[in-house]
Amino acid sequence: MNGPLAPSVMAGRPLLDIADVSVTFGNTRVLKNVSFQIMPGEIVGIAGESGSGKSTICRAAMGLLPSTAEVTGEVCFDDQALQGLGEAEWMKLRGRDMAMIFQNPASHLNPLQKVGKQIAQPMIRHLGLSGSEARERAVKLLEDVGIREPAMRAKSYPHELSGGMKQRVMIAAAISCAPRLLIADEPTTALDVTVQAKILELLKDLNRQRGLAIALISHDLGVLADICSRIIVMRHGQIVEQGEAGQIIDAPQHPYTRLLVDSQPGRKQFKAGWAQTEETPLLQVEGLRVLFPAKRDIVDIFRNRKAMPFAALDGVDLAVSAGETVGIVGESGSGKSTLARTIIRQNRAASGTVKLGGRPIERLAGRELLELRRRVQMVFQNPYDSLNPRMTALETIAEPIWRHGMADRREALNQASKLLDMVELPAALGERKPRQLSGGQCQRVGIARALALQPQVLIADEITSALDVTTQAQILELLARLRRERALTLIYISHDLSVVSSFCQRVYVFRSGRIVEQGAAAKVLTNPQEAYTQELVASLHRLPGHVVERENIER
């Protein structure tokens, strides 16, 4: 870890001064007497779980709360009181002097406009540049934030860019008018570790080169410890602790801060006792190749020219023994999820084979294919997308039981109630629909649904990537317990090497559809041999005390 940057702070007045701010929606008070300051050129971290008030206080500072919010207290920017500003005054301030990067760039970029135009618009509005001047400067900004072929990318629509590139586009738009304060709301959540490291390095460069003050919101204390000089910890709408980054990490005073520190990936081991045997692996993949059709541009279509298919997986070999937990790591697009979907027969292989219990799955049909899908279950990354929004949690868990003919509907609901208890959800939540549940609760429903068919193999695809660290730790504890009690074989897909190192016995590293390194997690993730794995490991933001020994706490 490089350590936090020393703030280039001007003596005297703060750039942002938040004093005794409270926010109420109706009868619910979501912020309670929050006070803190950010000095010019300083990077301050704001930590806490979902619902703690991190984003709310920053939106209050930017004047972005809805009109239904009742705000008390005082917010000053550069000695200017912001209460009572009209929308026209806010529009002059936002973008020009203070800017915000939102967590999900896909939902904040206009899908109907090319990204170069979206970056140019603030410069036309605030700096008075002509359209051509602004577009030219937008290309230069894309280059500054590390996007290759910026002139070409400026002509792209958001859906044509990766998550990391969209995040860089948002940063380029945010800094286009050279603001003095940048609020970054979870800018690296759910990004690959290498992309995350590049985004954070970019923020550090902007801080150094432009003297940009940054408020960085994150639930990852490893990230905050690496980049921030101070950290503010929030819970239930209040600040429970704030201070120098080193003091917060090394000697937290508040019990909740200690919980956050202890919940960070890699601080605790979840491995259960397991020893590899010489028996035939339960799941075996041999020479697997999966092809996806390539996109054809207008010239290809006009000339009736076929585009070469894209190899999402190219000659993959792996084996998983019964009762083992295997990690699959790599960047987005490396083939991790494609492998999972091929194992459950959602994708067709162009060549190679997948065997379950020694039987090739591509030959299965009818009842045998149905049995495969009972024996191998998958939990998806975004539970809100994978759960039926019209069904209650109880109905969601019960549905596969009666559809597979394992029980009638009444008995299926009884079994679903037991599964709710197994994944540590209160019975009352069984009557709620996904929109009425938190992300962690929805993920538990997804796990219960997958376990309803009593599978032998459970595939978990990035199921903790967007969760708070405390919720993440609870889900891992749950999986570790279920693994012991049910003798589950677990394939854990993640870009978070800290989680994989604390949870898995063995690991496969994927890149561009191929396995570049494999072996015991203890060896691969502490002493990687391949350059790509070394880059992944170097991108980790570890807290002091990060567990590197593979000590087993669950014997």
Side-chain angles (χ1 to χ4, degrees):
M1 186 171 69
N2 299 325
L5 301 180
S8 53
V9 179
M10 295 166 51
R13 70 189 189 200
L15 181 63
L16 180 69
D17 190 356
I18 293 176
D20 207 31
V21 170
S22 297
V23 175
T24 303
F25 289 96
N27 296 322
T28 305
R29 199 179 186 197
V30 295
L31 282 184
K32 306 167 187 175
N33 308 108
V34 173
S35 300
F36 64 87
Q37 297 177 336
I38 298 178
M39 305 300 287
E42 185 181 23
I43 304 181
V44 174
I46 304 177
E49 59 195 5
S50 295
S52 61
K54 309 186 301 293
S55 297
T56 302
I57 187 60
C58 289
R59 286 175 180 270
M62 291 283 294
L64 293 175
L65 291 177
S67 58
T68 53
E70 180 186 339
V71 183
T72 61
E74 188 172 61
V75 179
C76 292
F77 179 80
D78 197 20
D79 275 353
Q80 176 188 3
L82 303 184
Q83 293 90 325
L85 289 185
E87 187 58 28
E89 295 170 300
W90 271 117
M91 290 294 287
K92 291 179 182 178
L93 190 64
R94 289 195 295 255
R96 180 60 191 260
D97 293 304
M98 53 199 307
M100 189 165 182
I101 305 169
F102 298 93
Q103 179 174 352
N104 186 355
S107 62
H108 288 87
L109 292 174
N110 188 332
L112 303 179
Q113 280 188 356
K114 295 176 181 179
V115 298
K117 184 176 181 180
Q118 296 187 57
I119 297 170
Q121 284 173 340
M123 293 184 283
I124 295 171
R125 181 188 305 121
H126 293 293
L127 304 183
L129 299 184
S130 67
S132 59
E133 290 174 323
R135 286 191 294 272
E136 183 178 340
R137 191 173 293 189
V139 172
K140 179 62 169 64
L141 283 164
L142 286 174
E143 182 181 6
D144 290 345
V145 297
I147 288 184
R148 297 177 183 175
E149 301 178 309
M152 182 188 75
R153 291 302 184 186
K155 299 175 182 178
S156 300
Y157 290 95
H159 72 271
E160 298 176 300
L161 305 179
S162 69
M165 292 173 71
K166 284 196 278 269
Q167 198 64 278
R168 288 169 185 262
V169 167
M170 284 199 67
I171 294 173
I175 65 172
S176 61
C177 297
R180 288 179 287 165
L181 173 67
L182 179 65
I183 297 174
D185 189 358
E186 299 275 12
T188 60
T189 295
L191 295 180
D192 303 321
V193 288
T194 49
V195 178
Q196 180 187 88
K198 291 171 184 175
I199 294 292
L200 293 174
E201 193 60 41
L202 171 61
L203 292 177
K204 287 194 274 190
D205 288 342
L206 292 170
N207 171 260
R208 292 190 189 100
Q209 296 167 10
R210 301 189 178 202
L212 182 65
I214 300 174
L216 178 60
I217 301 172
S218 180
H219 61 253
D220 190 334
L221 286 180
V223 166
L224 298 184
D226 190 49
I227 191 174
C228 300
S229 57
R230 290 190 298 117
I231 295 176
I232 297 164
V233 182
M234 297 188 68
R235 190 185 194 194
H236 301 327
Q238 294 178 297
I239 292 176
V240 297
E241 188 168 358
Q242 60 178 307
E244 297 296 319
Q247 178 266 314
I248 293 292
I249 300 302
D250 297 332
Q253 301 301 303
H254 194 277
Y256 176 67
T257 311
R258 290 197 292 271
L259 175 65
L260 278 184
V261 171
D262 291 340
S263 298
Q264 295 294 310
R267 301 280 290 191
K268 185 176 182 180
Q269 293 287 287
F270 299 92
K271 293 191 176 83
W274 173 87
Q276 188 170 5
T277 67
E278 298 299 324
E279 298 174 1
T280 302
L282 175 63
L283 181 70
Q284 196 164 9
V285 176
E286 299 173 340
L288 191 64
R289 196 160 190 260
V290 176
L291 302 179
F292 290 148
K295 292 182 179 178
R296 294 196 300 168
D297 59 26
I298 189 66
V299 176
D300 292 328
I301 295 171
F302 181 75
R303 296 181 178 177
N304 197 26
R305 187 167 57 196
K306 292 184 178 179
M308 293 296 292
F310 166 70
L313 291 177
D314 193 5
V316 169
D317 296 287
L318 61 82
V320 183
S321 297
E324 187 181 14
T325 300
V326 168
I328 308 289
V329 302
E331 295 176 306
S332 294
S334 61
K336 307 186 303 292
S337 295
T338 300
L339 172 67
R341 293 175 185 275
T342 306
I343 290 173
I344 62 175
R345 278 278 296 268
Q346 284 191 357
N347 293 331
R348 285 282 187 176
S351 59
T353 186
V354 177
K355 295 179 181 178
L356 181 66
R359 297 194 63 188
I361 67 168
E362 60 268 19
R363 300 177 187 173
L364 303 180
R367 295 184 65 85
E368 289 182 321
L369 180 57
L370 199 64
E371 179 63 12
L372 164 74
R373 288 176 171 155
R374 187 196 68 77
R375 294 174 65 190
V376 183
Q377 285 287 298
M378 187 165 171
V379 185
F380 296 91
Q381 178 175 0
N382 189 341
Y384 293 107
D385 288 345
S386 58
L387 299 180
N388 190 327
R390 297 181 178 180
M391 285 186 174
T392 66
L394 207 59
E395 291 167 341
T396 296
I397 299 167
E399 184 194 25
I401 299 175
W402 61 262
R403 281 197 179 275
H404 277 258
M406 299 172 66
D408 60 28
R409 293 196 184 210
R410 178 177 294 181
E411 176 57 25
L413 288 169
N414 288 335
Q415 292 183 28
S417 296
K418 295 177 182 177
L419 285 162
L420 269 182
D421 183 61
M422 178 177 288
V423 297
E424 299 164 2
L425 282 177
L429 295 185
E431 301 306 318
R432 295 187 184 181
K433 295 180 179 179
R435 68 177 183 275
Q436 299 170 305
L437 301 172
S438 69
Q441 289 169 341
C442 278
Q443 204 59 278
R444 290 172 187 265
V445 173
I447 293 170
R449 178 183 169 86
L451 293 175
L453 297 178
Q454 302 175 15
Q456 291 176 285
V457 181
L458 186 67
I459 302 174
D461 188 5
E462 298 276 14
I463 65 171
T464 61
S465 62
L467 299 179
D468 301 321
V469 288
T470 49
T471 306
Q472 184 181 94
Q474 292 165 6
I475 294 293
L476 292 176
E477 288 275 14
L478 170 64
L479 286 177
R481 178 174 63 79
L482 294 172
R483 184 177 58 190
R484 288 195 309 270
E485 295 173 356
R486 293 201 165 202
L488 277 175
T489 301
L490 190 62
I491 298 174
Y492 190 86
I493 299 172
S494 181
H495 64 255
D496 192 329
L497 304 191
S498 296
V499 171
V500 172
S501 68
S502 65
F503 194 64
C504 302
Q505 285 95 16
R506 289 192 304 116
V507 63
Y508 290 88
V509 182
F510 275 61
R511 188 184 193 188
S512 301
R514 297 186 178 188
I515 295 172
V516 298
E517 191 163 357
Q518 60 177 291
K523 181 178 179 181
V524 172
L525 299 180
T526 57
N527 186 28
Q529 301 302 304
E530 295 295 323
Y532 175 68
T533 315
Q534 291 169 0
E535 182 185 359
L536 287 180
V537 172
S539 300
L540 277 172
H541 297 271
R542 291 192 175 112
L543 294 182
H546 177 100
V547 176
V548 292
E549 300 84 4
R550 283 352 190 226
E551 181 181 351
N552 189 341
I553 68 166
E554 291 190 354
R555 295 176 185 174

